[in-house]
mmCIF file of all heavy atoms in Angstrom:
data_model
loop_
_atom_site.group_PDB
_atom_site.id
_atom_site.type_symbol
_atom_site.label_atom_id
_atom_site.label_comp_id
_atom_site.label_asym_id
_atom_site.label_seq_id
_atom_site.Cartn_x
_atom_site.Cartn_y
_atom_site.Cartn_z
ATOM 1 N N GLY A 1 -22.683 13.963 -5.177
ATOM 2 C CA GLY A 1 -22.021 14.521 -6.238
ATOM 3 C C GLY A 1 -20.631 15.077 -5.564
ATOM 4 O O GLY A 1 -20.684 15.712 -4.561
ATOM 5 N N SER A 2 -19.623 14.960 -6.475
ATOM 6 C CA SER A 2 -18.306 15.476 -5.931
ATOM 7 C C SER A 2 -18.017 16.796 -6.976
ATOM 8 O O SER A 2 -18.753 17.031 -7.851
ATOM 9 C CB SER A 2 -17.195 14.521 -6.282
ATOM 10 O OG SER A 2 -17.121 14.107 -7.743
ATOM 11 N N ARG A 3 -17.000 17.462 -6.595
ATOM 12 C CA ARG A 3 -16.535 18.653 -7.406
ATOM 13 C C ARG A 3 -16.466 18.222 -8.897
ATOM 14 O O ARG A 3 -16.865 18.939 -9.779
ATOM 15 C CB ARG A 3 -15.430 19.157 -6.795
ATOM 16 C CG ARG A 3 -14.764 20.492 -7.579
ATOM 17 C CD ARG A 3 -15.715 21.655 -7.284
ATOM 18 N NE ARG A 3 -16.753 21.803 -8.182
ATOM 19 C CZ ARG A 3 -17.907 22.440 -8.037
ATOM 20 N NH1 ARG A 3 -18.198 22.976 -6.704
ATOM 21 N NH2 ARG A 3 -18.898 22.591 -8.915
ATOM 22 N N ARG A 4 -15.694 17.066 -9.082
ATOM 23 C CA ARG A 4 -15.691 16.685 -10.425
ATOM 24 C C ARG A 4 -16.871 16.420 -11.133
ATOM 25 O O ARG A 4 -16.983 16.577 -12.308
ATOM 26 C CB ARG A 4 -14.671 15.360 -10.363
ATOM 27 C CG ARG A 4 -14.332 14.870 -11.787
ATOM 28 C CD ARG A 4 -13.519 13.517 -11.622
ATOM 29 N NE ARG A 4 -13.148 13.028 -12.933
ATOM 30 C CZ ARG A 4 -12.389 11.891 -13.083
ATOM 31 N NH1 ARG A 4 -11.915 11.320 -11.986
ATOM 32 N NH2 ARG A 4 -12.191 11.423 -14.268
ATOM 33 N N TYR A 5 -17.768 15.749 -10.391
ATOM 34 C CA TYR A 5 -19.048 15.388 -11.102
ATOM 35 C C TYR A 5 -19.784 16.716 -11.413
ATOM 36 O O TYR A 5 -20.317 16.730 -12.441
ATOM 37 C CB TYR A 5 -19.820 14.674 -10.008
ATOM 38 C CG TYR A 5 -21.352 14.393 -10.521
ATOM 39 C CD1 TYR A 5 -21.535 13.318 -11.556
ATOM 40 C CD2 TYR A 5 -22.441 15.151 -10.245
ATOM 41 C CE1 TYR A 5 -22.612 13.089 -12.021
ATOM 42 C CE2 TYR A 5 -23.667 14.904 -10.723
ATOM 43 C CZ TYR A 5 -23.757 13.877 -11.633
ATOM 44 O OH TYR A 5 -25.011 13.651 -12.170
ATOM 45 N N TRP A 6 -19.852 17.724 -10.574
ATOM 46 C CA TRP A 6 -20.543 18.994 -10.896
ATOM 47 C C TRP A 6 -19.998 19.762 -12.137
ATOM 48 O O TRP A 6 -20.655 20.246 -12.853
ATOM 49 C CB TRP A 6 -20.658 19.848 -9.616
ATOM 50 C CG TRP A 6 -21.259 19.240 -8.569
ATOM 51 C CD1 TRP A 6 -20.779 19.077 -7.234
ATOM 52 C CD2 TRP A 6 -22.613 18.688 -8.553
ATOM 53 N NE1 TRP A 6 -21.803 18.397 -6.437
ATOM 54 C CE2 TRP A 6 -22.887 18.205 -7.269
ATOM 55 C CE3 TRP A 6 -23.677 18.580 -9.473
ATOM 56 C CZ2 TRP A 6 -24.156 17.594 -6.915
ATOM 57 C CZ3 TRP A 6 -24.844 17.943 -9.186
ATOM 58 C CH2 TRP A 6 -25.085 17.369 -7.803
ATOM 59 N N ASP A 7 -18.577 19.648 -12.171
ATOM 60 C CA ASP A 7 -17.932 20.345 -13.328
ATOM 61 C C ASP A 7 -18.209 19.613 -14.488
ATOM 62 O O ASP A 7 -18.456 20.104 -15.536
ATOM 63 C CB ASP A 7 -16.432 20.413 -12.954
ATOM 64 C CG ASP A 7 -16.028 21.372 -12.008
ATOM 65 O OD1 ASP A 7 -16.845 22.254 -11.764
ATOM 66 O OD2 ASP A 7 -14.859 21.264 -11.476
ATOM 67 N N GLN A 8 -18.409 18.255 -14.430
ATOM 68 C CA GLN A 8 -18.595 17.353 -15.593
ATOM 69 C C GLN A 8 -20.054 17.707 -16.105
ATOM 70 O O GLN A 8 -20.409 17.772 -17.232
ATOM 71 C CB GLN A 8 -18.495 15.938 -15.239
ATOM 72 C CG GLN A 8 -18.814 15.004 -16.475
ATOM 73 C CD GLN A 8 -18.657 13.503 -16.102
ATOM 74 O OE1 GLN A 8 -17.876 13.158 -15.247
ATOM 75 N NE2 GLN A 8 -19.272 12.628 -16.856
ATOM 76 N N LEU A 9 -20.986 17.653 -15.150
ATOM 77 C CA LEU A 9 -22.431 17.932 -15.427
ATOM 78 C C LEU A 9 -22.508 19.353 -15.983
ATOM 79 O O LEU A 9 -23.383 19.548 -16.973
ATOM 80 C CB LEU A 9 -23.328 17.838 -14.179
ATOM 81 C CG LEU A 9 -24.790 17.995 -14.418
ATOM 82 C CD1 LEU A 9 -25.333 17.253 -15.429
ATOM 83 C CD2 LEU A 9 -25.556 17.991 -13.048
ATOM 84 N N LYS A 10 -21.888 20.314 -15.514
ATOM 85 C CA LYS A 10 -21.947 21.564 -16.099
ATOM 86 C C LYS A 10 -21.537 21.524 -17.585
ATOM 87 O O LYS A 10 -22.213 22.294 -18.338
ATOM 88 C CB LYS A 10 -21.009 22.615 -15.369
ATOM 89 C CG LYS A 10 -20.911 23.974 -15.944
ATOM 90 C CD LYS A 10 -19.974 24.927 -15.149
ATOM 91 C CE LYS A 10 -19.715 26.213 -15.868
ATOM 92 N NZ LYS A 10 -18.866 27.173 -15.124
ATOM 93 N N GLN A 11 -20.458 20.864 -17.850
ATOM 94 C CA GLN A 11 -19.960 20.880 -19.121
ATOM 95 C C GLN A 11 -21.064 20.100 -20.113
ATOM 96 O O GLN A 11 -21.249 20.467 -21.247
ATOM 97 C CB GLN A 11 -18.640 20.135 -19.238
ATOM 98 C CG GLN A 11 -18.055 20.143 -20.680
ATOM 99 C CD GLN A 11 -17.753 21.537 -21.207
ATOM 100 O OE1 GLN A 11 -17.376 22.453 -20.421
ATOM 101 N NE2 GLN A 11 -17.959 21.713 -22.431
ATOM 102 N N GLU A 12 -21.694 19.157 -19.562
ATOM 103 C CA GLU A 12 -22.754 18.463 -20.402
ATOM 104 C C GLU A 12 -23.866 19.387 -20.587
ATOM 105 O O GLU A 12 -24.436 19.370 -21.722
ATOM 106 C CB GLU A 12 -23.219 17.252 -19.491
ATOM 107 C CG GLU A 12 -22.268 16.056 -19.384
ATOM 108 C CD GLU A 12 -22.719 14.934 -18.560
ATOM 109 O OE1 GLU A 12 -24.025 15.098 -18.188
ATOM 110 O OE2 GLU A 12 -22.006 14.030 -18.275
ATOM 111 N N ILE A 13 -24.179 20.164 -19.600
ATOM 112 C CA ILE A 13 -25.391 21.138 -19.793
ATOM 113 C C ILE A 13 -24.978 22.208 -20.867
ATOM 114 O O ILE A 13 -25.797 22.429 -21.780
ATOM 115 C CB ILE A 13 -25.610 21.869 -18.482
ATOM 116 C CG1 ILE A 13 -26.322 20.992 -17.543
ATOM 117 C CG2 ILE A 13 -26.554 23.156 -18.723
ATOM 118 C CD1 ILE A 13 -26.488 21.429 -16.129
ATOM 119 N N ILE A 14 -23.766 22.682 -20.875
ATOM 120 C CA ILE A 14 -23.304 23.676 -21.928
ATOM 121 C C ILE A 14 -23.296 22.979 -23.272
ATOM 122 O O ILE A 14 -23.876 23.586 -24.276
ATOM 123 C CB ILE A 14 -21.967 24.135 -21.521
ATOM 124 C CG1 ILE A 14 -21.860 24.942 -20.371
ATOM 125 C CG2 ILE A 14 -21.350 24.908 -22.769
ATOM 126 C CD1 ILE A 14 -20.532 25.239 -19.847
ATOM 127 N N GLU A 15 -22.981 21.796 -23.370
ATOM 128 C CA GLU A 15 -22.931 21.025 -24.670
ATOM 129 C C GLU A 15 -24.262 20.737 -25.207
ATOM 130 O O GLU A 15 -24.652 20.725 -26.419
ATOM 131 C CB GLU A 15 -22.122 19.733 -24.543
ATOM 132 C CG GLU A 15 -20.668 20.058 -24.384
ATOM 133 C CD GLU A 15 -19.778 18.942 -24.126
ATOM 134 O OE1 GLU A 15 -20.401 17.680 -24.139
ATOM 135 O OE2 GLU A 15 -18.564 18.950 -23.961
ATOM 136 N N VAL A 16 -25.308 20.381 -24.351
ATOM 137 C CA VAL A 16 -26.590 20.077 -24.790
ATOM 138 C C VAL A 16 -27.484 21.146 -25.078
ATOM 139 O O VAL A 16 -28.547 21.083 -25.612
ATOM 140 C CB VAL A 16 -27.266 19.067 -23.630
ATOM 141 C CG1 VAL A 16 -27.836 19.846 -22.447
ATOM 142 C CG2 VAL A 16 -28.360 18.180 -24.399
ATOM 143 N N ALA A 17 -27.164 22.368 -24.409
ATOM 144 C CA ALA A 17 -28.010 23.511 -24.358
ATOM 145 C C ALA A 17 -28.493 23.978 -25.851
ATOM 146 O O ALA A 17 -29.735 24.055 -26.038
ATOM 147 C CB ALA A 17 -27.369 24.738 -23.815
ATOM 148 N N PRO A 18 -27.657 23.993 -26.873
ATOM 149 C CA PRO A 18 -28.202 24.158 -28.315
ATOM 150 C C PRO A 18 -29.241 23.251 -28.680
ATOM 151 O O PRO A 18 -30.246 23.678 -29.407
ATOM 152 C CB PRO A 18 -26.868 24.175 -29.098
ATOM 153 C CG PRO A 18 -25.757 24.424 -28.140
ATOM 154 C CD PRO A 18 -26.304 23.817 -26.778
ATOM 155 N N SER A 19 -29.100 21.991 -28.436
ATOM 156 C CA SER A 19 -30.074 20.957 -28.779
ATOM 157 C C SER A 19 -31.350 21.197 -28.125
ATOM 158 O O SER A 19 -32.531 20.640 -28.590
ATOM 159 C CB SER A 19 -29.605 19.650 -28.770
ATOM 160 O OG SER A 19 -29.416 19.310 -27.334
ATOM 161 N N LEU A 20 -31.408 21.839 -26.956
ATOM 162 C CA LEU A 20 -32.678 22.143 -26.221
ATOM 163 C C LEU A 20 -33.254 23.509 -26.613
ATOM 164 O O LEU A 20 -34.273 23.894 -26.101
ATOM 165 C CB LEU A 20 -32.335 22.130 -24.740
ATOM 166 C CG LEU A 20 -31.680 20.896 -24.166
ATOM 167 C CD1 LEU A 20 -31.495 21.119 -22.622
ATOM 168 C CD2 LEU A 20 -32.627 19.684 -24.359
ATOM 169 N N GLY A 21 -32.569 24.124 -27.705
ATOM 170 C CA GLY A 21 -33.165 25.445 -28.112
ATOM 171 C C GLY A 21 -32.579 26.575 -27.382
ATOM 172 O O GLY A 21 -33.241 27.699 -27.439
ATOM 173 N N ILE A 22 -31.563 26.477 -26.479
ATOM 174 C CA ILE A 22 -31.048 27.491 -25.635
ATOM 175 C C ILE A 22 -29.737 27.980 -26.471
ATOM 176 O O ILE A 22 -28.869 27.386 -26.831
ATOM 177 C CB ILE A 22 -30.610 27.014 -24.376
ATOM 178 C CG1 ILE A 22 -31.901 26.506 -23.581
ATOM 179 C CG2 ILE A 22 -29.770 28.052 -23.552
ATOM 180 C CD1 ILE A 22 -31.725 25.734 -22.288
ATOM 181 N N ASP A 23 -29.830 29.434 -26.652
ATOM 182 C CA ASP A 23 -28.644 30.002 -27.410
ATOM 183 C C ASP A 23 -27.417 30.213 -26.472
ATOM 184 O O ASP A 23 -26.352 30.271 -27.029
ATOM 185 C CB ASP A 23 -29.178 31.366 -28.010
ATOM 186 C CG ASP A 23 -30.136 31.024 -29.169
ATOM 187 O OD1 ASP A 23 -29.814 30.159 -30.007
ATOM 188 O OD2 ASP A 23 -31.209 31.783 -29.208
ATOM 189 N N LYS A 24 -27.624 30.637 -25.232
ATOM 190 C CA LYS A 24 -26.403 30.938 -24.373
ATOM 191 C C LYS A 24 -26.781 30.575 -22.962
ATOM 192 O O LYS A 24 -28.063 30.844 -22.598
ATOM 193 C CB LYS A 24 -25.987 32.249 -24.536
ATOM 194 C CG LYS A 24 -24.613 32.617 -23.872
ATOM 195 C CD LYS A 24 -24.174 33.992 -24.145
ATOM 196 C CE LYS A 24 -22.728 34.092 -23.662
ATOM 197 N NZ LYS A 24 -22.056 35.470 -23.890
ATOM 198 N N ILE A 25 -25.914 30.038 -22.289
ATOM 199 C CA ILE A 25 -26.146 29.676 -20.884
ATOM 200 C C ILE A 25 -24.968 30.045 -20.052
ATOM 201 O O ILE A 25 -23.792 29.920 -20.485
ATOM 202 C CB ILE A 25 -26.473 28.165 -20.623
ATOM 203 C CG1 ILE A 25 -26.966 27.891 -19.203
ATOM 204 C CG2 ILE A 25 -25.305 27.339 -21.114
ATOM 205 C CD1 ILE A 25 -27.593 26.364 -19.193
ATOM 206 N N GLY A 26 -25.180 30.514 -18.885
ATOM 207 C CA GLY A 26 -24.138 30.974 -17.874
ATOM 208 C C GLY A 26 -24.389 30.493 -16.546
ATOM 209 O O GLY A 26 -25.632 30.301 -16.170
ATOM 210 N N PHE A 27 -23.496 30.485 -15.708
ATOM 211 C CA PHE A 27 -23.635 30.016 -14.390
ATOM 212 C C PHE A 27 -22.971 30.938 -13.427
ATOM 213 O O PHE A 27 -21.946 31.559 -13.514
ATOM 214 C CB PHE A 27 -22.904 28.701 -14.071
ATOM 215 C CG PHE A 27 -23.357 27.566 -15.044
ATOM 216 C CD1 PHE A 27 -23.006 27.534 -16.416
ATOM 217 C CD2 PHE A 27 -24.081 26.477 -14.472
ATOM 218 C CE1 PHE A 27 -23.433 26.464 -17.212
ATOM 219 C CE2 PHE A 27 -24.507 25.477 -15.264
ATOM 220 C CZ PHE A 27 -24.243 25.438 -16.514
ATOM 221 N N THR A 28 -23.712 31.161 -12.189
ATOM 222 C CA THR A 28 -23.123 32.093 -11.189
ATOM 223 C C THR A 28 -23.579 31.542 -9.841
ATOM 224 O O THR A 28 -24.352 30.562 -9.770
ATOM 225 C CB THR A 28 -23.652 33.442 -11.373
ATOM 226 O OG1 THR A 28 -23.141 34.369 -10.387
ATOM 227 C CG2 THR A 28 -25.225 33.694 -11.150
ATOM 228 N N THR A 29 -23.143 31.942 -8.762
ATOM 229 C CA THR A 29 -23.401 31.636 -7.498
ATOM 230 C C THR A 29 -24.739 32.080 -7.082
ATOM 231 O O THR A 29 -25.361 32.891 -7.744
ATOM 232 C CB THR A 29 -22.302 32.079 -6.483
ATOM 233 O OG1 THR A 29 -22.575 33.611 -6.400
ATOM 234 C CG2 THR A 29 -20.958 31.843 -6.900
ATOM 235 N N ALA A 30 -25.258 31.558 -5.955
ATOM 236 C CA ALA A 30 -26.578 31.942 -5.457
ATOM 237 C C ALA A 30 -26.288 33.115 -4.347
ATOM 238 O O ALA A 30 -27.160 33.225 -3.419
ATOM 239 C CB ALA A 30 -27.326 30.910 -5.009
ATOM 240 N N ASP A 31 -25.029 33.609 -4.351
ATOM 241 C CA ASP A 31 -24.861 34.713 -3.316
ATOM 242 C C ASP A 31 -25.742 35.896 -3.432
ATOM 243 O O ASP A 31 -26.305 36.109 -4.558
ATOM 244 C CB ASP A 31 -23.360 35.200 -3.418
ATOM 245 C CG ASP A 31 -22.302 34.137 -3.235
ATOM 246 O OD1 ASP A 31 -22.687 33.185 -2.573
ATOM 247 O OD2 ASP A 31 -21.201 34.408 -3.642
ATOM 248 N N PRO A 32 -26.054 36.577 -2.335
ATOM 249 C CA PRO A 32 -26.936 37.796 -2.463
ATOM 250 C C PRO A 32 -26.388 38.715 -3.380
ATOM 251 O O PRO A 32 -25.272 38.952 -3.614
ATOM 252 C CB PRO A 32 -27.017 38.377 -0.996
ATOM 253 C CG PRO A 32 -26.640 37.181 -0.166
ATOM 254 C CD PRO A 32 -25.626 36.257 -1.018
ATOM 255 N N PHE A 33 -27.372 39.506 -4.053
ATOM 256 C CA PHE A 33 -26.987 40.580 -4.998
ATOM 257 C C PHE A 33 -27.016 41.929 -4.129
ATOM 258 O O PHE A 33 -27.734 42.904 -4.280
ATOM 259 C CB PHE A 33 -28.019 40.671 -6.051
ATOM 260 C CG PHE A 33 -27.970 39.475 -7.021
ATOM 261 C CD1 PHE A 33 -28.808 38.365 -6.729
ATOM 262 C CD2 PHE A 33 -27.189 39.498 -8.201
ATOM 263 C CE1 PHE A 33 -28.689 37.269 -7.534
ATOM 264 C CE2 PHE A 33 -27.267 38.453 -9.024
ATOM 265 C CZ PHE A 33 -27.981 37.377 -8.766
ATOM 266 N N LEU A 34 -26.035 41.940 -3.272
ATOM 267 C CA LEU A 34 -25.934 42.955 -2.249
ATOM 268 C C LEU A 34 -25.764 44.369 -2.955
ATOM 269 O O LEU A 34 -26.224 45.440 -2.462
ATOM 270 C CB LEU A 34 -24.785 42.934 -1.279
ATOM 271 C CG LEU A 34 -24.916 41.601 -0.422
ATOM 272 C CD1 LEU A 34 -23.697 41.336 0.497
ATOM 273 C CD2 LEU A 34 -26.284 41.670 0.445
ATOM 274 N N GLU A 35 -25.072 44.436 -4.107
ATOM 275 C CA GLU A 35 -24.786 45.732 -4.744
ATOM 276 C C GLU A 35 -26.099 46.321 -5.359
ATOM 277 O O GLU A 35 -26.133 47.498 -5.613
ATOM 278 C CB GLU A 35 -23.783 45.435 -6.003
ATOM 279 C CG GLU A 35 -24.449 44.669 -7.101
ATOM 280 C CD GLU A 35 -24.500 43.171 -6.943
ATOM 281 O OE1 GLU A 35 -24.048 42.634 -5.883
ATOM 282 O OE2 GLU A 35 -24.972 42.451 -7.879
#
């Protein structure tokens, strides 16, 4: 996967989410929650 591919897949996920019964979806890093 390239950066372009992951951005495209992310957009596909956002678009398909309602048809999967998901009302809202968000993305974040897997960085530690140090705070």
Side-chain angles (χ1 to χ4, degrees):
S2 63
R3 181 72 270 154
R4 181 179 178 183
Y5 176 78
W6 300 122
D7 288 344
Q8 180 181 336
L9 179 56
K10 175 182 173 180
Q11 189 57 39
E12 289 178 9
I13 290 171
I14 293 171
E15 291 173 359
V16 80
S19 69
L20 301 179
I22 295 169
D23 289 317
K24 189 169 186 180
I25 187 165
F27 298 74
T28 186
T29 69
D31 294 342
F33 293 87
L34 298 176
E35 70 282 359

